[in-house]
Amino acid sequence: MSAAAVGAVIDLEVGKKMPAIVVDSDSSMLRRLTTQEYIDDVGEARILGGVHYRNSVNVGKAMGVSIGKLAVQRFFKPAGNNPTQHHVNGDSRKRVSVFYW
């Protein structure tokens, strides 16, 4: 599940200091304080919408988290001597993270 991969990357890159995730549409606005709330909400919506069975969502969450962790491990490398600053694919310029979903 792509939401789980995005959630894992946000967790690993931002940690507990993460701002709320806000999903805004024309008719409503959802606010999630943790990535796990966001991942669970997306999964539940897919079940209720008839897109997936619960088992498919559970397996997709596990796969998505694994893929997100692997992406951070492979593509987000420490910049210089500061292990909390990262750069992507050898680019040591100031990093700006933008997440689309």
Side-chain angles (χ1 to χ4, degrees):
M1 197 165 79
S2 60
V6 169
V9 170
I10 292 172
D11 269 348
L12 292 169
E13 284 297 296
V14 181
K16 300 294 180 196
K17 297 178 187 175
M18 182 194 87
I21 296 173
V22 178
V23 180
D24 192 5
S25 70
D26 292 336
S27 60
S28 66
M29 183 172 76
L30 302 172
R31 182 183 191 92
R32 299 295 173 248
L33 300 178
T34 66
T35 55
Q36 191 60 51
E37 286 179 354
Y38 167 71
I39 292 167
D40 291 341
D41 192 44
V42 170
E44 197 64 26
R46 291 179 179 181
I47 293 167
L48 295 175
V51 177
H52 296 302
Y53 293 108
R54 186 162 303 277
N55 183 60
S56 300
V57 168
N58 293 338
V59 171
K61 283 182 191 179
M63 286 178 60
V65 168
S66 295
I67 291 167
K69 288 179 179 179
L70 181 63
V72 169
Q73 180 184 5
R74 286 202 176 167
F75 300 109
F76 290 80
K77 306 292 183 190
N81 294 330
N82 187 349
T84 61
Q85 281 187 324
H86 291 79
H87 62 268
V88 178
N89 291 337
D91 184 355
S92 60
R93 292 176 291 177
K94 185 175 179 182
R95 178 179 58 99
V96 177
S97 297
V98 179
F99 299 101
Y100 296 96
W101 62 84

